Amino acid sequence: MVKKDNNLATPIQRPQKLGILMPGLGAIASTLIAGVFAIQKGISPPIGSLTQMGRLRLGKRTDQNSPKIDDFLDLVPLQDIVFGGWDIFEDNMYEAAIHANVLDKTLLEQLKPELSAITPFKAVFEPNFVKKLHGTYIKSYQTKYEAYEKVVTDIRTFKSDNNIDEVVMIWTGSTEIYIPQEDVPATLAEFEEGLKNNHPAISPCMIYTYAALKEGIPYANGSPNTVIELPAMQELAQNTHTPLAGKDLKTGQTLMKTILAPGLKSRLLGVNGWFSTNILGNRDGEVLDDPDSFKAKEISKLSVLDTIFQPELYPELYKDTYHKVRINYYPPHGDNKEGWDNIDILGWLGYPMQIKVNFLCRDSILAAPLLLDIALFMEFAKRSQLAGIQEWLSFYFKSPHTAPDLTAEHDIFIQLKKLKNTLRYLKGYDPITHLGNEYYNF
């Protein structure tokens, strides 16, 4: 097997230290950080992380060459990662993890020195964008441009204090109210003018994104917030040659949909209806109890089935599929999300059948390894001199961004194939098609 020239620029050397900055140091972020420290200490394996446990086949099946992904890409080792970020509460990471109540206190006590050392910067926060939260650790500023400048100061301080070569940023904050894209200044020049004039549609998430891209920092959106799809942000990403990825981490119920729906479609089984409801009680659930924030999440979750089923191509099977999604705030469950799905399907001769799914999952436990993978892959994308939207990372998102005029791919199996083939291509190896014609003489 011979490596091939892919005509891409020569990759930059891996950084010695990587900073991961997160706006929103709550349940998901504290679970990620505690998990990485636990893995470093040998307390637990990195279950759920493709970068840490996954392998990638090179060449033919008979070659039996499947290196670990982190070795193949020379990803930044976990011991060389430094965490930081912003939050609307002053808690250090140990206190935040205790408050989130995701991880056992016995585990957190073993990690207390490392977690306690990580403290947040004051956050850019405007309560009209997240109505259910009332922060106490907030930056003061007269204009949104001043808020951006303060975020940049924080970024540079973080890099300097920790002697960091490269940084990636992932939004792990709350879901903001739904903001139609057309309400936000379209061009980069107009957006920058809007920062200075306090344009009412420019949200804190947009300010952090703008700050990251201006600094050439790869940025991923883990929420359904309107930001990466903005033309101004994509223009800035191209200007600074910076990778973008998003949006909305694919963890619980939507993960199950992207696993089940491709299976139903592969057997050409019809679907009359798919009713989904969730209960969760963490801060995310409280925020989504507000209809304006829920609208952003609903749009993200509803987009999945149509693109998998392709009703325009298979009208007899999926044209009239009824799809409904509900999320209910239920404090007793805390971070333990529970999702119910009722799926009415049709088989041979139109005979009806049903599938019922009850997924009792842990929101932050499922999200944490995704954050780690996204951060490491975004650093690799920057090192490989990729810019703009990284569709090959759609594997991790409910509502993946694509190039203009492209329909997003939601089938998780196709997404994984695309991710791995992208890695092969970037390293100069042939993609794997699974044709196997050489074994059967055709």
PDB file of all heavy atoms in Angstrom, residues 408-419:
ATOM      1  N   ALA A 408     -27.529  18.281   4.187  1.00  0.00           N
ATOM      2  CA  ALA A 408     -26.743  17.605   5.218  1.00  0.00           C
ATOM      3  C   ALA A 408     -27.026  16.111   5.214  1.00  0.00           C
ATOM      4  O   ALA A 408     -28.153  15.673   4.977  1.00  0.00           O
ATOM      5  CB  ALA A 408     -27.058  18.194   6.589  1.00  0.00           C
ATOM      6  N   GLU A 409     -26.007  15.324   5.480  1.00  0.00           N
ATOM      7  CA  GLU A 409     -26.135  13.870   5.620  1.00  0.00           C
ATOM      8  C   GLU A 409     -26.316  13.545   7.092  1.00  0.00           C
ATOM      9  O   GLU A 409     -25.480  13.915   7.923  1.00  0.00           O
ATOM     10  CB  GLU A 409     -24.889  13.173   5.072  1.00  0.00           C
ATOM     11  CG  GLU A 409     -24.914  11.668   5.210  1.00  0.00           C
ATOM     12  CD  GLU A 409     -26.100  11.039   4.520  1.00  0.00           C
ATOM     13  OE1 GLU A 409     -26.142  11.078   3.275  1.00  0.00           O
ATOM     14  OE2 GLU A 409     -26.986  10.520   5.239  1.00  0.00           O
ATOM     15  N   HIS A 410     -27.431  12.844   7.438  1.00  0.00           N
ATOM     16  CA  HIS A 410     -27.712  12.524   8.843  1.00  0.00           C
ATOM     17  C   HIS A 410     -27.531  11.046   9.181  1.00  0.00           C
ATOM     18  O   HIS A 410     -27.545  10.693  10.357  1.00  0.00           O
ATOM     19  CB  HIS A 410     -29.138  12.954   9.200  1.00  0.00           C
ATOM     20  CG  HIS A 410     -29.303  14.427   9.390  1.00  0.00           C
ATOM     21  ND1 HIS A 410     -28.984  15.075  10.564  1.00  0.00           N
ATOM     22  CD2 HIS A 410     -29.738  15.381   8.542  1.00  0.00           C
ATOM     23  CE1 HIS A 410     -29.228  16.361  10.436  1.00  0.00           C
ATOM     24  NE2 HIS A 410     -29.686  16.579   9.222  1.00  0.00           N
ATOM     25  N   ASP A 411     -27.388  10.192   8.195  1.00  0.00           N
ATOM     26  CA  ASP A 411     -27.177   8.765   8.438  1.00  0.00           C
ATOM     27  C   ASP A 411     -25.829   8.601   9.149  1.00  0.00           C
ATOM     28  O   ASP A 411     -24.770   8.883   8.591  1.00  0.00           O
ATOM     29  CB  ASP A 411     -27.179   8.045   7.085  1.00  0.00           C
ATOM     30  CG  ASP A 411     -27.003   6.545   7.204  1.00  0.00           C
ATOM     31  OD1 ASP A 411     -26.262   6.084   8.091  1.00  0.00           O
ATOM     32  OD2 ASP A 411     -27.574   5.821   6.365  1.00  0.00           O
ATOM     33  N   ILE A 412     -25.869   8.132  10.394  1.00  0.00           N
ATOM     34  CA  ILE A 412     -24.644   8.100  11.208  1.00  0.00           C
ATOM     35  C   ILE A 412     -23.586   7.168  10.620  1.00  0.00           C
ATOM     36  O   ILE A 412     -22.381   7.399  10.783  1.00  0.00           O
ATOM     37  CB  ILE A 412     -24.970   7.706  12.668  1.00  0.00           C
ATOM     38  CG1 ILE A 412     -23.781   8.048  13.588  1.00  0.00           C
ATOM     39  CG2 ILE A 412     -25.364   6.241  12.779  1.00  0.00           C
ATOM     40  CD1 ILE A 412     -24.091   7.959  15.056  1.00  0.00           C
ATOM     41  N   PHE A 413     -24.011   6.145   9.886  1.00  0.00           N
ATOM     42  CA  PHE A 413     -23.056   5.200   9.313  1.00  0.00           C
ATOM     43  C   PHE A 413     -22.337   5.816   8.113  1.00  0.00           C
ATOM     44  O   PHE A 413     -21.136   5.610   7.917  1.00  0.00           O
ATOM     45  CB  PHE A 413     -23.772   3.911   8.946  1.00  0.00           C
ATOM     46  CG  PHE A 413     -24.537   3.324  10.099  1.00  0.00           C
ATOM     47  CD1 PHE A 413     -25.917   3.440  10.169  1.00  0.00           C
ATOM     48  CD2 PHE A 413     -23.879   2.698  11.147  1.00  0.00           C
ATOM     49  CE1 PHE A 413     -26.622   2.932  11.248  1.00  0.00           C
ATOM     50  CE2 PHE A 413     -24.572   2.183  12.229  1.00  0.00           C
ATOM     51  CZ  PHE A 413     -25.957   2.296  12.281  1.00  0.00           C
ATOM     52  N   ILE A 414     -23.072   6.591   7.326  1.00  0.00           N
ATOM     53  CA  ILE A 414     -22.433   7.328   6.235  1.00  0.00           C
ATOM     54  C   ILE A 414     -21.530   8.420   6.801  1.00  0.00           C
ATOM     55  O   ILE A 414     -20.426   8.663   6.293  1.00  0.00           O
ATOM     56  CB  ILE A 414     -23.500   7.924   5.291  1.00  0.00           C
ATOM     57  CG1 ILE A 414     -24.280   6.807   4.598  1.00  0.00           C
ATOM     58  CG2 ILE A 414     -22.856   8.849   4.258  1.00  0.00           C
ATOM     59  CD1 ILE A 414     -25.418   7.289   3.725  1.00  0.00           C
ATOM     60  N   GLN A 415     -21.984   9.069   7.866  1.00  0.00           N
ATOM     61  CA  GLN A 415     -21.167  10.114   8.497  1.00  0.00           C
ATOM     62  C   GLN A 415     -19.830   9.558   8.985  1.00  0.00           C
ATOM     63  O   GLN A 415     -18.783  10.191   8.803  1.00  0.00           O
ATOM     64  CB  GLN A 415     -21.927  10.735   9.672  1.00  0.00           C
ATOM     65  CG  GLN A 415     -23.114  11.597   9.261  1.00  0.00           C
ATOM     66  CD  GLN A 415     -23.903  12.078  10.459  1.00  0.00           C
ATOM     67  OE1 GLN A 415     -23.903  11.455  11.520  1.00  0.00           O
ATOM     68  NE2 GLN A 415     -24.572  13.209  10.307  1.00  0.00           N
ATOM     69  N   LEU A 416     -19.861   8.386   9.611  1.00  0.00           N
ATOM     70  CA  LEU A 416     -18.618   7.788  10.106  1.00  0.00           C
ATOM     71  C   LEU A 416     -17.712   7.400   8.944  1.00  0.00           C
ATOM     72  O   LEU A 416     -16.488   7.590   9.001  1.00  0.00           O
ATOM     73  CB  LEU A 416     -18.926   6.570  10.969  1.00  0.00           C
ATOM     74  CG  LEU A 416     -17.713   5.855  11.566  1.00  0.00           C
ATOM     75  CD1 LEU A 416     -16.893   6.785  12.452  1.00  0.00           C
ATOM     76  CD2 LEU A 416     -18.139   4.612  12.341  1.00  0.00           C
ATOM     77  N   LYS A 417     -18.302   6.870   7.876  1.00  0.00           N
ATOM     78  CA  LYS A 417     -17.506   6.510   6.703  1.00  0.00           C
ATOM     79  C   LYS A 417     -16.839   7.762   6.113  1.00  0.00           C
ATOM     80  O   LYS A 417     -15.671   7.734   5.732  1.00  0.00           O
ATOM     81  CB  LYS A 417     -18.393   5.843   5.656  1.00  0.00           C
ATOM     82  CG  LYS A 417     -17.638   5.269   4.464  1.00  0.00           C
ATOM     83  CD  LYS A 417     -18.585   4.696   3.413  1.00  0.00           C
ATOM     84  CE  LYS A 417     -19.367   3.533   3.957  1.00  0.00           C
ATOM     85  NZ  LYS A 417     -20.241   2.928   2.908  1.00  0.00           N
ATOM     86  N   LYS A 418     -17.604   8.856   6.047  1.00  0.00           N
ATOM     87  CA  LYS A 418     -17.059  10.106   5.520  1.00  0.00           C
ATOM     88  C   LYS A 418     -15.924  10.619   6.402  1.00  0.00           C
ATOM     89  O   LYS A 418     -14.881  11.060   5.911  1.00  0.00           O
ATOM     90  CB  LYS A 418     -18.156  11.164   5.416  1.00  0.00           C
ATOM     91  CG  LYS A 418     -17.697  12.505   4.855  1.00  0.00           C
ATOM     92  CD  LYS A 418     -18.840  13.499   4.768  1.00  0.00           C
ATOM     93  CE  LYS A 418     -18.389  14.823   4.194  1.00  0.00           C
ATOM     94  NZ  LYS A 418     -18.004  14.737   2.779  1.00  0.00           N
ATOM     95  N   LEU A 419     -16.106  10.544   7.717  1.00  0.00           N
ATOM     96  CA  LEU A 419     -15.066  11.006   8.639  1.00  0.00           C
ATOM     97  C   LEU A 419     -13.774  10.209   8.423  1.00  0.00           C
ATOM     98  O   LEU A 419     -12.693  10.786   8.267  1.00  0.00           O
ATOM     99  CB  LEU A 419     -15.570  10.862  10.078  1.00  0.00           C
ATOM    100  CG  LEU A 419     -14.700  11.437  11.203  1.00  0.00           C
ATOM    101  CD1 LEU A 419     -15.558  11.744  12.429  1.00  0.00           C
ATOM    102  CD2 LEU A 419     -13.567  10.510  11.610  1.00  0.00           C
TER     103      LEU A 419
END
